[in-house]
């Protein structure tokens, strides 16, 4: 099985991937790590701020990694925000039957109630460089983008609106 985990920044994608790794021993691949490896090795002229272009570029690689894992009957978690909403178009039915998609989306109300906690947990799994532009309105806009994208594409999503217990989502 391959599990794709996506969603807005600060929604807990990496934490969920880590919890799944600990529970099921499935390895995970961070799309951010792949992105930075390609950028730092100069295999692309894209920068960490070229989100739309990075999605197209990285998805071309990630979808082939997913196919290879499925063909080899290997479990894998792919985590990151570079999974396009039309991801299903990259696979035929045999592959799709082996893929689980999870998109984490926080409601505006949740973000308003828990903004300090959301930003406080940003380094729980990996060390991040502080984003000086991170603010409550940016986090809301990013989550609305994922909600709209999932709805438009007919994709399921996990709406985080009440109390968020990552453990409940780490059971597959």
């Amino acid at each position: 099985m391959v599990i794709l985990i996506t969603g807005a920044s600060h929604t807990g994608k990496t934490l969920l991937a880590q919890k799944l790794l600990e529970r099921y021993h499935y390895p995970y691949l961070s799309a951010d790590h792949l992105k930075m490896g390609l950028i730092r090795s100069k295999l692309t002229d894209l920068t960490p701020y070229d989100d739309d272009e990075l999605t197209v570029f990285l998805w071309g690689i990630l979808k082939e990694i997913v196919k290879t894992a499925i063909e080899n009957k290997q479990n894998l978690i792919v985590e990151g925000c570079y999974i396009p909403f039309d991801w299903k178009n990259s696979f035929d039915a045999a592959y799709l039957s082996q893929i689980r998609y999870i998109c984490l989306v926080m409601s505006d109300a949740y973000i308003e109630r828990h903004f300090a906690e959301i930003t406080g947990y940003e380094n729980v799994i990996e060390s991040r460089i502080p984003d000086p532009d991170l603010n409550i309105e940016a986090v809301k806009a990013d989550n609305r983008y994922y909600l709209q994208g999932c709805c438009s594409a007919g994709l399921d999503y996990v709406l985080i609106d009440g109390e968020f217990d990552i453990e409940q989502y780490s059971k597959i």
Side-chain angles (χ1 to χ4, degrees):
M1 171 184 287
V2 173
I3 303 168
L4 303 177
I5 303 173
T6 193
S9 180
H10 291 82
T11 54
K13 298 179 298 295
T14 307
L15 178 59
L16 179 56
Q18 181 68 34
K19 293 289 185 182
L20 289 167
L21 171 123
E22 292 168 5
R23 181 175 296 233
Y24 298 103
H25 307 284
Y26 290 8
Y28 77 84
L29 171 64
S30 165
D32 281 338
H33 291 180
L34 178 60
K35 168 188 75 177
M36 293 311 299
L38 291 165
I39 290 170
R40 288 178 174 168
S41 66
K42 309 278 190 238
L43 293 173
T44 180
D45 292 329
L46 296 171
T47 74
Y49 305 104
D50 297 325
D51 285 334
D52 292 338
E53 296 90 345
L54 280 166
T55 297
V56 172
F57 181 68
L58 292 173
W59 184 245
I61 298 165
L62 291 170
K63 71 181 178 184
E64 298 306 327
I65 292 171
V66 168
K67 288 176 184 176
T68 302
I70 292 170
E71 290 161 359
N72 288 299
K73 297 178 176 42
Q74 294 173 310
N75 298 315
L76 178 66
I77 301 161
V78 177
E79 170 271 316
C81 62
Y82 301 107
I83 299 169
F85 295 114
D86 66 349
W87 68 269
K88 287 184 177 182
N89 295 338
S90 299
F91 305 101
D92 63 27
Y95 288 110
L96 288 171
S97 69
Q98 299 298 311
I99 300 171
R100 172 139 185 240
Y101 174 84
I102 302 169
C103 182
L104 300 176
V105 178
M106 294 178 175
S107 72
D108 281 359
Y110 182 87
I111 295 165
E112 288 170 7
R113 289 191 312 269
H114 299 281
F115 186 70
E117 293 168 66
I118 292 166
T119 57
Y121 283 116
E122 70 183 0
N123 292 311
V124 71
I125 297 296
E126 58 190 6
S127 297
R128 292 176 169 217
I129 297 170
D131 180 355
D133 298 324
L134 184 68
N135 61 62
I136 195 167
E137 292 308 317
V139 173
K140 285 182 187 179
D142 201 16
N143 278 271
R144 286 184 207 128
Y145 169 80
Y146 277 89
L147 179 60
Q148 181 182 14
C150 284
C151 290
S152 295
L155 297 170
D156 292 334
Y157 55 90
V158 174
L159 183 62
I160 302 164
D161 189 43
E163 291 306 310
F164 183 45
D165 177 12
I166 196 76
E167 294 297 330
Q168 74 185 30
Y169 301 109
S170 65
K171 297 174 185 160
I172 54 172

